[in-house]
Amino acid sequence: MDFSTIIKGLVDQNSRIAIHQAVVQSTAAGPPASLTIRLSGDTTNLTGIRYLSSYSPTSADVVFCLINAGDILVLGKLA
């Protein structure tokens, strides 16, 4: 899925795309590099989560995620 598809999906009111806040629990070098995160308000860790190459993750980062039909992509951390 490319960026323009994500943006079009956000505008579409029938879209299942959502933005959530999460906390990075751990990182894995890969390949492919991935994260373990915990979505805000949840107690379950999610593993194998991919992130944008412009983001350099560390444990305890507060991040924003795009979720589309079960696929999760970490966009970056909160400053």
Side-chain angles (χ1 to χ4, degrees):
M1 177 181 306
D2 67 355
F3 190 69
S4 65
T5 303
I6 293 170
I7 297 303
K8 287 177 186 174
L10 289 172
V11 174
D12 178 6
Q13 293 184 4
N14 294 323
S15 174
R16 294 178 285 166
I17 294 177
I19 298 175
H20 287 273
Q21 196 172 12
V23 176
V24 175
Q25 303 298 308
S26 64
T27 62
S34 65
L35 304 172
T36 297
I37 64 170
R38 182 176 298 160
L39 294 174
S40 294
D42 203 348
T43 58
T44 305
N45 287 342
L46 303 172
T47 60
I49 307 301
R50 302 295 304 273
Y51 55 91
L52 295 178
S53 62
S54 59
Y55 168 56
S56 298
T58 58
S59 292
D61 281 351
V62 176
V63 297
F64 284 95
C65 309
L66 277 181
I67 302 176
N68 179 32
D71 293 328
I72 302 174
L73 173 67
V74 172
L75 300 175
K77 72 177 182 176
L78 185 62

